[in-house]
């Protein structure tokens, strides 16, 4: 168990992480959330716990926060989300998100996460508790005994063994309830068009195709579905009239799946024998409403939304959503985003290194090809992400798409790309005029580069108008091929390829040059003619400015055999011939890629560009 969060009381009655810093992102928690999860956040963020906020107060203070963690009471409306200009994530410490305007969050590029698994056991156990309580009149028995009465003869119940339990929604909670009910000796019949027949059969559950096949045969009925347009008022008067008069219904899912007026009538008219209710359309029920009358009905065992109210469940959901908030604010992936494709843990582990690779590829593109100029070589260009090998078989690539957008804009945005996530990546790309296509190539031979060395290969290809500002300076040693190119050519293509080895990421191709380097730290990339003296000159310039070389690599044209040679830093001042088949001929181009430590100023770049045969120099910080 994580250590409890340390908080301090503010003068206005709220509490905040003890190490408050105005420079750290802030997270608002307007409801009680287990301290074990909040402790995960307080090392990096300011966590403000402010209970009892009105709707207007929430709108007034939300502009200062990057994260919002709620349970079921706080209404996260479109107005709240519009006011939260800094908001990047809204987390629901639980399953249902009825209290969050998910569409408005998506429109504002805000990720909504929940904890679909944290309270499975608690919800299932509470369902069985209500089942037994309504079968044996536990609620009425307790109330009458506390009132000094002894009414044994009026409280005769029924056994649940050998009875039929009907389940609508055979998801994680529904399946858990089914297994518990079978353990009590019950027969279980279920309705779920998305359930696996094999899994149901293995669990001992009989699936039926329609509601009409389920209702007449069950002795107990429980529903475990989200509240959607298709499930709102799922059981009304016609459905309840089809049930046995001895049947009892349960609801530990969402208020509204039963029509409350119809359920009240069914109990009063004797269409069914009883109900166990944990959730209502309005919580707490409004006085005089159908929900309030149901809660007070003698045939109903009612509880105040306790389905997830166990110590263990509260710790689980808190740890779950706080871990996701932590990952999102650090630029990572959520595991249960409501408004984005669900990322399973195994997918997360597979995708995470490629997320880092593609983000670095995007940042490398902007800094190397566009020189980091805002808008230069980015807006108006067409990008293509090509996945080859094992990666081509992954259908959920939205995290990879978002990683590319984040990388492309990171060096030219005030937020450094930290505002890009899997929800708003498409919006940001559209705003910046970036068109991105994704291509899955399972037949590697058809895709150009054949994946032989790597399990997966990622290619980033860009096409668009030539940027005159990015054209390398002319050189006396210009290639004949370059001189013969038609002047009216206005479009060009640039390519970056990369791969993952273990947890390490590598660039294997940069434009026309074969390479093999780790995209990290400060890099100097020199486009030059491969001839003796270049390495010594570069080493001398950097040494003269106090810049140390940590590694160096020369990348040759991609069509040259043995195109890449790695050079130790100690050899960087050696004037010896490091040639890639060019024999010193100035028409042979190469890239010199250096990892450097120290400040690379404009004077350093200017001195490097002075040498004859150095066509261009780019500074890349990754």
């Amino acid at each position: 168990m994580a250590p409890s969060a340390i908080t301090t009381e503010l003068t206005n009655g709220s509490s905040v992480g003890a190490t408050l810093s105005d420079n750290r992102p802030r997270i608002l928690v307007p409801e009680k959330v287990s301290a074990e999860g909040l402790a995960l956040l307080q090392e990096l963020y300011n966590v403000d716990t402010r209970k009892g906020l009105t709707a207007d107060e929430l709108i007034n203070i939300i502009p200062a926060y990057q994260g919002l963690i709620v349970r079921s009471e706080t209404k996260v409306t479109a107005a709240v989300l519009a006011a939260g200009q800094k908001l990047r994530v809204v987390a629901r410490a639980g399953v249902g998100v009825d209290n969050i305007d998910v569409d408005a969050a998506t429109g504002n590029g805000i990720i909504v996460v929940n904890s679909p698994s944290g309270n499975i056991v608690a919800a299932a156990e509470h369902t069985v508790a209500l089942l037994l309580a309504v079968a044996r009149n536990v609620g009425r028995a307790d109330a009458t005994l506390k009132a000094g009465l002894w009414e044994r003869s009026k409280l005769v119940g029924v056994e649940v063994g050998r009875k039929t339990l009907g389940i609508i929604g055979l998801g994680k909670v529904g399946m858990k309830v089914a297994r518990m009910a079978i353990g009590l000796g019950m027969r279980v019949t279920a309705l779920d068009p998305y359930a696996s027949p094999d899994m149901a059969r293995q669990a001992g559950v009989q699936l039926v195709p329609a509601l009409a096949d389920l209702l007449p045969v069950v002795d107990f009925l429980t529903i475990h579905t989200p509240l959607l347009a298709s499930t709102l008022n799922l059981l009304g008067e016609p459905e309840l009239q089809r049930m046995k008069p001895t049947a009892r219904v349960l609801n530990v899912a969402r208020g509204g799946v039963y029509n409350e007026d119809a359920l009240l009538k069914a109990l009063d008219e004797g269409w069914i024998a009883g109900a166990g209710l944990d959730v209502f359309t309005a919580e707490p029920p409004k006085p005089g409403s159908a929900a309030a009358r149901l809660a007070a009905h003698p045939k109903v065992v009612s509880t105040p939304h306790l389905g997830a109210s166990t110590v263990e469940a509260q710790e689980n959901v808190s740890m779950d959503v706080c871990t996701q908030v932590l990952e999102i604010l650090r630029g990572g992936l959520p595991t249960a985003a409501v408004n984005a494709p669900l990322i399973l843990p195994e997918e997360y582990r597979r995708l995470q290194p490629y997320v880092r690779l593609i983000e670095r590829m995007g940042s490398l593109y902007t800094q190397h090809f566009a020189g980091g100029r805002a808008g230069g070589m980015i807006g108006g260009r067409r990008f293509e992400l090509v996945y080859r090998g094992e990666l081509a078989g992954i259908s959920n690539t939205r995290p990879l798409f978002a990683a590319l957008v984040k990388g492309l804009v990171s060096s030219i945005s005030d937020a450094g790309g930290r505002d890009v996530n899997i929800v708003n990546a498409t919006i940001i790309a559209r705003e910046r005029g970036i068109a991105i296509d994704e291509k899955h190539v399972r037949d590697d031979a058809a895709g150009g580069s054949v994946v032989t060395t790597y399990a997966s290969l990622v290619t980033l290809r860009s096409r668009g108008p030539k940027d005159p500002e990015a054209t390398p300076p002319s050189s006396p040693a210009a290639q004949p091929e370059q001189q013969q190119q038609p002047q009216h050519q206005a479009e060009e293509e640039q390519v970056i390829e990369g791969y993952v080895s273990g947890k390490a990421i590598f660039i294997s191709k940069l434009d026309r040059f074969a390479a093999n380097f780790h995209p990290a730290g400060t890099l100097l990339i020199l486009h030059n003619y491969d001839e003796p003296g270049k390495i010594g000159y570069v080493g001398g310039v950097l040494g003269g400015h106090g810049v140390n070389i940590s590694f160096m690599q020369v990348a040759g044209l991609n069509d040259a055999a043995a195109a890449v040679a790695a050079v130790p830093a100690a050899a960087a001042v050696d004037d010896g011939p490091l040639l890639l088949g060019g024999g010193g001929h100035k028409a042979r181009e190469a890239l010199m890629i250096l990892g450097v430590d120290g400040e690379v100023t404009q004077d350093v770049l200017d001195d490097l560009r002075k040498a004859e045969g150095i066509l261009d120099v780019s500074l890349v910080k990754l």
Side-chain angles (χ1 to χ4, degrees):
M1 183 181 298
S4 298
I6 301 173
T7 59
T8 54
E9 288 294 324
L10 299 179
T11 55
N12 62 1
S14 64
S15 61
V16 66
T19 55
L20 184 64
S21 169
D22 291 336
N23 296 324
R24 301 197 304 176
R26 299 176 67 185
I27 299 169
L28 177 63
V29 186
E31 299 181 58
K32 183 179 180 180
V33 175
S34 178
E36 279 70 17
L38 298 181
L40 297 175
L41 299 170
Q42 289 185 319
E43 289 187 12
L44 297 174
Y45 309 110
N46 292 329
V47 180
D48 293 356
T49 301
R50 301 189 59 175
K51 301 174 187 173
L53 292 172
T54 66
D56 289 340
E57 288 172 337
L58 180 58
I59 290 174
N60 287 336
I61 68 171
I62 199 64
Y65 293 92
Q66 284 76 21
L68 174 63
I69 301 175
V70 301
R71 291 181 64 187
S72 58
E73 295 180 7
T74 303
K75 306 303 179 186
V76 187
T77 63
V80 171
L81 294 163
Q85 293 295 317
K86 296 181 181 179
L87 267 183
R88 295 171 57 194
V89 56
V90 174
R92 162 71 165 95
V95 180
V97 290
D98 306 356
N99 56 320
I100 301 171
D101 191 329
V102 177
D103 289 338
T106 303
N108 286 280
I110 300 168
I111 297 178
V112 179
V113 300
N114 67 346
S115 178
S117 302
N119 58 10
I120 290 173
V121 173
E125 287 183 352
H126 196 65
T127 301
V128 174
L130 285 180
L131 185 151
L132 293 170
V134 74
R136 300 301 299 268
N137 299 308
V138 171
R140 288 169 59 194
D142 177 69
T144 55
L145 190 57
K146 282 183 168 63
L149 304 175
W150 190 264
E151 299 182 335
R152 290 184 65 196
S153 60
K154 296 181 180 179
L155 299 170
V156 176
V158 297
E159 296 179 3
V160 301
R162 300 178 302 281
K163 298 294 195 303
T164 298
L165 171 66
I167 301 177
I168 300 176
L170 200 62
K172 293 179 179 178
V173 176
M175 184 60 80
K176 189 74 173 178
V177 170
R179 293 191 174 107
M180 290 179 174
I182 290 171
L184 292 173
M186 301 185 78
R187 296 183 294 269
V188 179
T189 302
L191 171 64
D192 189 332
Y194 306 106
S196 164
D198 290 339
M199 185 176 295
R201 185 167 50 251
Q202 291 172 12
V205 178
Q206 178 189 2
L207 286 175
V208 296
L211 197 57
D213 300 308
L214 182 73
L215 297 177
V217 302
V218 301
D219 300 294
F220 295 86
L221 177 69
T222 182
I223 299 181
H224 298 284
T225 68
L227 185 63
L228 307 169
S230 58
T231 60
L232 179 64
N233 295 322
L234 181 63
L235 270 75
E237 287 190 20
E239 290 77 21
L240 292 167
Q241 285 179 317
R242 292 195 186 104
M243 300 185 71
K244 298 177 182 179
T246 55
R248 293 161 172 84
V249 299
L250 311 166
N251 190 8
V252 186
R254 311 303 298 169
V257 291
Y258 293 93
N259 182 292
E260 289 176 337
D261 290 310
L263 182 55
L264 188 63
K265 186 175 182 179
L267 292 167
D268 289 338
E269 298 289 334
W271 300 345
I272 60 174
L277 304 177
D278 184 51
V279 289
F280 304 88
T281 51
E283 297 180 353
K286 297 178 181 178
S289 66
R293 285 181 285 163
L294 280 171
H297 201 283
K299 294 182 180 180
V300 175
V301 176
S302 52
T303 53
H305 203 147
L306 298 180
S309 293
T310 65
V311 172
E312 295 85 354
Q314 291 306 302
E315 290 179 356
N316 290 341
V317 298
S318 176
M319 294 289 287
D320 189 358
V321 298
C322 288
T323 298
Q324 294 188 75
V325 169
L326 183 67
E327 285 298 315
I328 291 167
L329 293 182
R330 291 196 300 195
L333 302 177
T335 55
V338 175
N339 52 351
L342 178 67
I343 301 171
L344 300 175
E346 58 269 23
E347 289 180 317
Y348 179 91
R349 287 190 291 270
R350 291 178 66 188
L351 285 179
Q352 190 62 21
Y354 290 100
V355 167
R356 289 190 291 110
L357 171 65
I358 292 173
E359 182 182 337
R360 297 283 177 87
M361 290 169 70
S363 184
L364 175 60
Y365 177 88
T366 299
Q367 295 183 70
H368 177 60
F369 290 114
R373 294 186 302 278
M377 300 289 285
I378 300 295
R381 294 191 68 85
R382 305 184 306 279
F383 292 89
E384 183 180 66
L385 265 179
V386 183
Y387 311 119
R388 293 187 174 89
E390 294 178 358
L391 199 58
I394 295 179
S395 58
N396 180 11
T397 56
R398 280 187 66 175
L400 305 181
F401 180 98
L404 176 58
V405 176
K406 181 178 180 179
L408 288 172
V409 304
S410 60
S411 63
I412 57 176
S413 71
D414 293 337
R418 292 184 300 274
D419 54 341
V420 181
N421 56 55
I422 58 177
V423 173
N424 66 10
T426 302
I427 298 172
I428 290 177
R430 184 169 58 246
E431 289 174 348
R432 291 183 174 271
I434 302 171
I436 301 174
D437 292 323
E438 292 179 282
K439 186 176 181 181
H440 298 250
V441 180
R442 291 173 176 81
D443 181 6
D444 298 315
S449 297
V450 180
V451 180
T452 56
T453 307
Y454 327 119
S456 294
L457 185 70
V458 181
T459 301
L460 172 61
R461 184 173 287 110
S462 171
R463 299 183 181 93
K466 206 164 190 177
D467 184 355
E469 293 185 40
T471 302
S474 59
S475 166
Q479 287 192 70
E481 298 95 312
Q482 291 178 322
Q483 294 173 344
Q484 294 169 10
Q485 287 178 345
Q487 296 301 314
H488 63 271
Q489 184 176 359
E491 190 165 280
E492 62 184 347
E493 177 180 284
Q494 292 132 355
V495 176
I496 301 176
E497 284 186 352
Y499 68 96
V500 172
S501 178
K503 294 183 179 180
I505 60 177
F506 296 92
I507 299 299
S508 55
K509 183 179 180 182
L510 185 55
D511 205 16
R512 297 171 293 127
F513 301 91
N516 192 30
F517 66 93
H518 179 53
T522 300
L523 303 177
L524 278 171
I525 302 176
L526 290 81
H527 180 196
N528 58 275
Y529 293 120
D530 183 23
E531 57 187 5
K534 286 293 182 292
I535 295 176
Y537 176 78
V538 171
V541 170
L542 296 179
H545 286 276
V547 177
N548 182 55
I549 301 175
S550 57
F551 80 88
M552 181 177 179
Q553 182 180 105
V554 175
L557 288 170
N558 193 50
D559 59 356
V564 180
V567 182
V573 295
D574 183 6
D575 282 344
L578 179 67
L579 306 177
L580 300 173
H585 192 274
K586 290 187 177 182
R588 197 57 154 178
E589 296 177 65
L591 287 184
M592 195 184 303
I593 303 163
L594 302 94
V596 297
D597 298 318
E599 184 181 3
V600 180
T601 64
Q602 187 61 45
D603 289 341
V604 176
L605 299 177
D606 290 341
D607 285 349
L608 289 173
R609 292 190 178 108
K610 288 178 182 178
E612 182 178 342
I614 292 183
L615 305 178
D616 196 20
V617 180
S618 61
L619 174 64
V620 176
K621 295 182 178 181
L622 300 172

